[in-house]
Amino acid sequence: MKTLTQLAAGLAAGAITARALIEDSLARIADPNGEGARAFTKVHADSARACADAMDALRKAGRALGPYAGIPVAFKDLTDIAGEATPAGSRVLADASPAQVHAPVAARMFAHGFVSIGRTNMTEFAYSGLGLNPHYGTPAAAWERDVAPRVPGGSSSGTGVAVGDGIVPVGLGTDTGGSCRIPAACNNIVGFKPTARRVPLTGILPLAPSLDSVGPLARCVADCAVVDAVFAGEDPGVPQAAPLAGLRVGVPKNYVRDDIDQTVARGFDRALTALSLAGARVVEFGFDELSEIPALGAGGGLVAAESYHWHRALLAAKRDGYDPRVSSRILAGEKIGAADYLETVARRAALIARSDERTDAFDVIALPTIPVVPPRIADLLADDEAYRMANLLLLRNPTIANLLDRCALALPCGEAGGAPVSLMLMGKRMEDRRLLAIGLSVEEMLGAR
């Protein structure tokens, strides 16, 4: 799959058409040897063809909506698209009233001429980092797919697989505790979590509004930068790559390497060495505040409390239709009282303030996105304890950025042809474009694309 820049150039030169791009995506979805049938919960075949033809006609008339008009995009199944229900990977909302208007992030993509190819699969109601879905099936990550299918990462599982398999160049994900970055790590692609306040959450079915954010998944940092700008209502473009010489990179000594496997450890250490050789100042430091994070999530924390608030009436009416592994986590919020919730909010605010002070000397914080290679799906299907432990492990590092209200970027750093390994760079609050500029240089240095 070509990058957005390459596709835009081809469209502008007449070397390719929007209709051809759409037909290619639809063929990949329908391929019985691929994961398209599980990566998508709904395919917009007819409307995508009609939109593509319209974009081709507008471009021919010199009235194209923009350079990216006609390029296919995938939307996670919790995104409001006018005229459709928003099931969020569940069966209990399959008959819900259709959305009346597009979510702002979708409307902004359409305004630039991007064409929706369909809605992507996800963990039901976005409540897991693994990506398993008993209702629509679980799409497998590309690595060892024919040997022992691996989890796609959640909750934006379908978007991760659709981008990783080249069905679409870019897609929408959401990120409450890593749900853009974990699928990126599992599928060897790039995922970006913006500072939450930059991108509107209106029209996105919530998990935990205090932590939710909307971000892109793509095959390169530049494409993430374009889509992030569109989501944020900014002019789409790619920032100038930031020099690595003199870049201040902090690496936590504690917490983020716990239970790391050898494959990830080697990839992460290689990335740090490469940063040093490129002139970055890589410094290990004690990030003691991270040890407070597990206590913030005890009993389900903010996510359980806020998700229960949204789901309580629906659970009362349709609990039997939920994935039990999801409903049990939401129901933990029933036990969280107002005083406990407010105490957690206050403790998070204090943690953010102290963490900001602790990390102020660094431009970015580097850590493994996930500390292990993607687990095998078969190992988790019937073993609830294995599922619970794997979910906690994959969420642990990405959740740091959500709790600290930061932006974060995940990009591949493994060996070519080997297991997927991902480097996470965490930037400062509202310095999203600076982080993407750094990511461009790190990506080029690693040869990640």
Side-chain angles (χ1 to χ4, degrees):
M1 175 61 70
K2 295 180 178 179
T3 68
L4 290 181
T5 299
Q6 292 167 333
L7 292 172
L11 287 167
I16 53 175
T17 64
R19 181 60 180 262
L21 294 179
I22 295 302
E23 293 296 347
D24 180 68
S25 288
L26 293 174
R28 290 171 184 266
I29 294 172
D31 183 355
N33 296 316
E35 291 293 301
R38 283 178 287 271
F40 286 82
T41 57
K42 185 181 179 98
V43 181
H44 297 145
D46 292 340
S47 64
R49 289 183 172 113
C51 288
D53 289 344
M55 296 304 163
D56 284 334
L58 286 169
R59 183 169 277 109
K60 186 175 181 180
R63 295 291 186 269
L65 296 179
Y68 309 111
I71 294 177
V73 62
F75 288 95
K76 189 175 180 178
D77 195 35
L78 45 55
T79 312
D80 279 356
I81 296 176
E84 296 183 355
T86 306
S90 180
R91 295 291 186 186
V92 300
L93 290 180
D95 58 353
S97 298
Q100 297 300 302
V101 296
H102 301 312
V105 285
R108 289 170 179 177
M109 291 293 282
F110 296 149
H112 284 276
F114 285 94
V115 176
S116 174
I117 203 72
R119 308 178 71 93
T120 49
N121 201 354
M122 55 181 284
T123 306
E124 184 181 42
F125 294 121
Y127 211 160
S128 168
L130 297 172
L132 276 61
N133 188 307
H135 309 298
Y136 296 97
T138 300
W143 181 56
E144 293 195 342
R145 184 177 285 168
D146 298 330
V147 178
R150 305 278 177 155
V151 301
S155 62
S156 308
S157 53
T159 301
V161 172
V163 173
D165 280 9
I167 296 172
V168 289
V170 294
L172 178 145
T174 61
D175 195 309
T176 306
S179 291
C180 283
R181 291 160 290 149
I182 299 171
C186 292
N187 291 284
N188 214 34
I189 58 174
V190 180
F192 181 64
K193 176 224 171 298
T195 305
R197 72 193 70 168
R198 284 185 59 248
V199 178
L201 291 170
T202 305
I204 300 295
L205 195 143
L207 175 57
S210 292
L211 304 173
D212 292 346
S213 56
V214 179
L217 290 90
R219 296 182 69 86
C220 63
V221 175
D223 287 358
C224 276
V226 169
V227 178
D228 167 71
V230 174
F231 285 169
E234 303 166 1
D235 291 335
V238 181
Q240 184 175 355
L244 297 181
L247 185 73
R248 301 167 300 171
V249 180
V251 181
K253 292 180 181 179
N254 55 307
Y255 193 78
V256 301
R257 290 181 187 252
D258 293 351
D259 300 311
I260 194 169
D261 70 27
Q262 289 296 314
T263 300
V264 175
R266 285 195 301 269
F268 181 59
D269 288 340
R270 256 195 326 268
L272 296 181
T273 298
L275 279 166
S276 293
L277 292 174
R281 290 182 283 166
V282 179
V283 179
E284 290 194 347
F285 73 107
F287 199 166
D288 298 339
E289 288 75 12
L290 297 182
S291 63
E292 302 173 31
I293 288 178
L296 279 180
L302 294 174
V303 180
E306 295 183 8
S307 64
Y308 178 70
H309 173 259
W310 194 94
H311 282 273
R312 55 183 176 175
L314 191 60
L315 278 167
K318 297 185 176 183
R319 178 176 173 178
D320 289 346
Y322 280 69
D323 175 358
R325 285 171 163 172
V326 171
S327 61
S328 63
R329 301 181 76 197
I330 296 173
L331 284 166
E334 186 177 19
K335 301 175 183 177
I336 299 173
D340 293 330
Y341 174 77
L342 292 173
E343 175 64 21
T344 301
V345 170
R347 288 167 60 197
R348 180 196 177 205
L351 178 65
I352 288 172
R354 286 185 282 109
S355 297
D356 286 352
E357 184 177 358
R358 174 82 68 175
T359 60
D360 185 60
F362 302 111
D363 297 304
V364 293
I365 306 300
L367 57 158
T369 304
I370 56 176
V372 294
V373 298
R376 295 180 178 89
I377 294 174
D379 293 343
L380 309 177
L381 290 177
D383 190 330
D384 286 344
E385 181 60 14
Y387 177 97
R388 186 183 73 85
M389 295 303 295
N391 187 50
L392 288 172
L393 192 56
L394 264 62
L395 285 165
R396 186 194 67 207
N397 289 359
T399 298
I400 295 169
N402 301 82
L403 286 172
L404 298 185
D405 193 23
R406 304 281 191 95
C407 53
L409 178 70
L411 63 163
C413 68
E415 294 180 345
V421 179
S422 179
L423 169 69
M424 187 169 87
L425 300 175
M426 184 170 68
K428 294 182 178 180
R429 191 172 311 106
M430 297 301 289
E431 293 190 6
D432 299 52
R433 303 305 284 182
R434 164 73 171 155
L435 176 60
L436 288 163
I438 293 168
L440 289 167
S441 295
V442 174
E443 178 184 57
E444 182 177 5
M445 176 198 70
L446 295 174
R449 187 166 62 198

